[in-house]
Amino acid sequence: MSDSLKRHHCLEPFSEDSATIGSSASAEPAIRVTFDGHREFYNLRGDPADAAFTDAVKSFTGQSIPDKANTLSYRECTTCWLGPDEWLVVYPSFEAGRFEKFSTELDSTDATAVDVSHGYIVLCLSGDSALDLLAKGCTLDLHLSSFNVGDCVQTGIARTAAIIANIAEGDHYEVIVRRTFAEYLAIWMRHAGAEFGIGFD
Amino acid sequence: MTSRRLESGGFVDRGKVFEFKFDGRTLKGFAGDTLASALLANDVAVVSRSFKYHRPRGIVSAGADEPNAIMQIGKDDATLPNLRATQTELYNNMVARSTKGWPSVNFDVSAINALFGRVFSAGFYYKTFMRPKRLWRCYERFIRSSAGWGSAPAGNDPDEYAHRNAHCDVLVVGAGPSGLAAAVAASRTGARVILVDEQNEFGGSLLSEDTTIDSVPAMQWLEKTVAELSNCETVQCLTRTTAFGYYDDNFVAAVERCADHLGKPPGQTVRERLWRICAREVVLAQGAFERPLAFCNNDRPGVMMASAVQTYVNRYAVLPGERAVLFTNNDSAYFAAVAFKKAGGLLAAIIDSRQSGAGVTAVTNAVDHGIPIMNGHLVTDVVGKKRVRKAQVAQWSGDTSQTIKNTVSIECDLLMMSGGWSPAVHLHSQAGGKNIWDETHHCFVPGETLQQNRSVGAGAGQWSLMECLQRGGDAGRTTAEACGFVVQAGQTYETPQDQENPIEPLWRVPASRSPDRCAKQFLDFQNDTSVADVRLAVREGYRSIEHVKRYTALGFGTDQGKLGNINGMGVLAEALEVPIAQVGTTTFRPAYTPVTFGAGAGEDIGEIYDPVRKTAMHEWHEMQGAPMEVVGQWLRPWYFPQYGEDIHAAVARECMAARNSLAIMDASTLGKIDVQGRDSVALLERIYTHDVGRMAVGRCAYGIMLGEDGLLMDDGVMARLGEQRFYLTTTTGGAAAVLTWLERWLQTEWPELDVHLTSTTDHWSTIAVVGPKSRELLQKVGCNVSLQRENFPFMTVKDAELGGFPVQLFRVSFSGELAFEVNIGSNYAMAMWELLIDAGQEFQITPYGTETLHVLRAEKGFVIVGQDTDGSVSPVDLKMNWLLSKNKDYLGKRSLQRADLVRTDRKQFVGFVPVDGKTVVAEGTQLVNDPLLPVPTPMCGHITSSYASACLGHPIALGLLQSGHARIGEQVVAAQSDGTYVDMQVVSPVFYDPKSERQNV
Amino acid sequence: MLLIKCPWCGNRAESEFNYGGEAGIARPANPDTLTDAEWADYLFMRKNPKGLHQEQWNHAQGCRRWFNAERDTVTYRFTRTWRIGEAPSSTRDVDS
Ligand SMILES: [Zn+2]
């Protein structure tokens, strides 16, 4: 089995008819959205006080799991805190057999991992008005004083649940959403972003 | 028509002329006008008819309290009803229409009601139209149409609306002097500040008054202050923004009218934006409303609030009359009279109800401008119908219980009135705060607060400019400090000091006849509630202000009694002979001023009203022209019509394909949960009713879960993937609820169990391959495991490679046929689907939708939770006893022994066949034993599922029937909604292949 | 909008939470040994007080944790929240 298998991420139909909305074709829109539909996602469950578990994860991913609520760690992969015993490990691209190796690594512990790679997609937001857009649908205060690089929150955006990850300086945010809610969220962004100017890649 | 526009002054742009239509007439105004100021500039006196008596009415105020000038603005689908002309900024080509009065405000056919004024007293509608009850519908139609409150557009609103969440340390509501001082003081500490004001520019009363701050004209101070705030990065300034609701935890909702003043929003501009503001501290600086005076015929056009006249003169450069009389009980209105005079109006007299009149500052000012003052006098009545012509003035000793004779009548076309001021305590009250009666200023002022808010300025009963600025600044610093910011010493302000005499309350004005017999003295202009109405309510036994409000409609209008309520409370207090503080206020509820539905809905309309979830194969289904069925948030193909087939033909064809050859269905919407951890078996044993631990690894089982009440909650196939690893499926609609249910028990009741639950609904797509040829198809596309019965028996699961893709393969069947369900990663699912469709051509592979799914399972008597069950059905009712383990406890087990659940006359699940062999009765049809019994005929059950069955050749139905299990072979009657009856044979719910041999092959 | 303090995530909007009813209702260890009345008491009877009420809430759009909360049913105010299995703090975040 290889990555040569025919994959379709869930926003391909959306991408086909999306364009820049709300600002002139020449001007750079105040919000830019790119879809990343082929990352790998592992849902990880375990006791953070269990050294066997945390060591196993660290030796595999090369980084510690974040134990502080609503934070993430990132290097080769991004590990988002989802709950006191739950994390989402996100690898930037697919690699055959990686999950099986990861899973095996955890075999000797009480921790478990589930491959949910096909269940999520990432909408990468950037631009001056990216936070303004999120503020239209999210009740959380994403101001610098409370949301910084290394933070991630699970919350609602408009009418869907999503994870907002802050992994780079400047106006860059990753919105991780379940596959079947992604089109709704993208359409919502197209509507809600129009007043600022929004472009999709 | 005379122009009442002044040559100079004001904040209107005379170079920018706007044409607009009012009730069909074309008029002109300027940029900077409100619709009200433009109408006054055009000398339009009558702008509406009153609600009950249809009396002509004019513009009374200049703000949110306006009761009369209620307009329909804009045309076609962008029209907005019930806007206050006083708060509607004029734009070019505005189309405005009075919402009240038919056919026109100047000739209103319903004005005949006015002749029967005595008949239409308080409670009239209740008393007259409530009996006989059945006629109410006829009356109601007449009453509602003659009341006329604007009209809703017929089509969709063409404009965009938005919501916006915001967070700040200090929210300041109102940008008059106190609000500005608060915002500046808070912002200088570095706090995040949001300042909102409902007007098109900041300044509040400073925009209408002629005064100084720190020895410079107030306008200069205003400009400087606004500039400082706008340049401050941590301050968000929002004009045209009304904070209309104060909710729990310092959450304030405000609506920003971004484009209402432009007519049509340009480009992608939203028309209105709803701000949802979470503030750590709130400063309320909403100002105060001037009160009218309740004299006879005080509703005549040309009677206006004194401060409104001042605003029209100073801010809009409009003189609302030529010759005015001022009637007041306090000092503030003297300055309005002077402003009118200075602008070129003729001020005939100031009539002051107080025996000793006004203080030195006010009197000197008036005398300097040559205005005659009559202390100890009242305006008791006015003459003139469509416009005031004369004021009837009487000398008064100060005793309200007297009747008094008019002594003078003074010609005027404008009567300015001022009964004092009422602080706008609306948001404070909405926030749960109490109001207390201020004995000095005779008004309710904000008392104790329940949330993190404080009131300042006129809204807190602080009346001098100095006090407003000082207290505003203090509030800004205190709130910032409460948010943890370091504050500097307070700033002091210098303003002119006035020598004032106190207000003397005058809730109603004595007249030449008793208040119950004199001409109407209006309290609430919008609802035509008069002094006599409130007094009548008291005579009829009403005591509480809340009851009087509902009986007389006092304060029930779109203005919520901003103008008239306080006088009503005064009149009530007098009639009850109690202090006004004891009467209290009515409850203040959001919204402070009306909010459009558009703003409420925001972006949540049309295609983003709610998430629409689509499977990975959705586009393919759409390409085939399959109509979609909405299942919760999901869209599922309903059926796949070919060559103009209707649903019946398509479903019959799809069913026969599944039974005879090969069919395929997208089952991806099933809820899926991955279960792992040491104690997985222990958890599932307690959740499911069957013996989970006895399942061998690799086995599948049908399982049900009950609520603790013993009633069926959800069902699905579960598979044991490992010693302590399971894969659960749930119903499409139950996925989230089941996961939450399991997590709840795990986290709250059995935390000692080590189990991890993960939703995999989105990760896996599921393709059901159904029919006698399904095995052949999978073999054809290439499967790395043997699909033969010996190796892969019914109700087992295997990891496999299918057509090169990694899959989970389940041998399960929801149709009774040989079938496989393929779980595949969703990103691969479309490719897999196409692979199967292509390979299936030789077997005439037939895609099917939810309708065929339902027919196939009904032929087998399989239950659909939520369709055949409704939360009142036990597994015993469903004859699922075989699933109920006797070896363990599970949720709901004990309830199965409860008296109500062991009754033998419960509604039980059975099958039905129409005796005529052809009628498909509607789902939901009630069943009766004997239709000839008198109405209400006792019902003994109902149909839950009903279909035409192509393979059986007759209709089938499933349903719940009292004692149904014992009634197989009997007949009952389906009572159809059209009044006809269908005899139904009660049968076993398993219609097809009762021994279940076909799925086992 | 109520803010509810998730013991893991901190203050969040009420729209992120689901209500779970009265807290502290332990499932009887041996349901089979209970009378119908005793079982019905566990199943149906709830306190519904005017004033402070201990409840279970779920941070549904966040960390998915169930937790305990104490809320004043008169003012709607949450006075304190705490994790399952832990004792509530002796002091309240806000007075009821
Ligand atoms: Zn949480």
Side-chain angles (χ1 to χ4, degrees), chain B residues 81-152:
Chain B
N82 302 339
L83 295 184
R84 295 156 305 286
T86 50
Q87 294 193 298
T88 304
E89 288 177 60
L90 193 68
Y91 54 81
N92 203 22
N93 298 321
M94 173 185 279
V95 179
R97 183 164 65 73
S98 170
T99 54
K100 294 185 288 177
W102 182 84
S104 82
V105 291
N106 279 308
F107 176 77
D108 183 331
V109 289
S110 303
I112 196 153
N113 281 3
L115 302 179
F116 299 103
R118 191 97 20 226
V119 180
F120 273 75
S121 53
F124 172 77
Y125 289 112
Y126 290 128
K127 290 173 194 163
T128 311
F129 295 125
M130 284 308 176
R131 275 188 206 94
K133 249 186 180 162
R134 64 196 158 80
L135 282 184
W136 168 246
R137 280 167 181 234
C138 307
Y139 297 137
E140 190 188 21
R141 224 174 49 205
F142 164 74
I143 294 165
R144 296 229 187 274
S145 68
S146 67
W149 275 121
S151 44

Side-chain angles (χ1 to χ4, degrees), chain C residues 6 8-9 59 62-64:
Chain C
C6 168
W8 303 97
C9 304
H59 190 190
C63 63
R64 300 202 294 135

Side-chain angles (χ1 to χ4, degrees), chain A residues 87-179:
Chain A
W87 296 264
L88 189 67
V89 179
V90 187
Y91 276 96
S93 61
F94 178 80
E95 188 184 299
R98 188 201 280 130
F99 176 76
E100 288 70 20
K101 269 184 263 164
F102 185 56
S103 198
T104 311
E105 197 87 20
L106 298 175
D107 273 351
S108 56
T109 74
D110 280 334
T112 58
V114 182
D115 182 9
V116 286
S117 297
H118 297 258
Y120 288 96
I121 185 166
V122 181
L123 285 72
C124 305
L125 280 183
S126 59
D128 295 344
S129 298
L131 275 189
D132 295 317
L133 173 65
L134 291 174
K136 291 185 76 172
C138 174
T139 58
L140 283 177
D141 188 1
L142 300 178
H143 186 262
L144 274 178
S145 59
S146 47
F147 189 63
N148 282 287
V149 175
D151 289 340
C152 74
V153 288
Q154 293 173 92
T155 183
I157 301 180
R159 289 176 182 263
T160 183
I163 301 163
I164 307 172
N166 194 338
I167 55 162
E169 296 291 343
D171 292 314
H172 295 277
Y173 306 93
E174 294 198 340
V175 178
I176 304 169
V177 64
R178 285 186 192 269
R179 173 190 181 88

Side-chain angles (χ1 to χ4, degrees), chain C residues 58-73:
Chain C
N58 179 225
H59 190 190
Q61 269 193 356
C63 63
R64 300 202 294 135
R65 291 297 104 180
W66 284 91
F67 59 91
N68 293 311
E70 182 183 68
R71 184 178 64 101
D72 189 321
T73 58

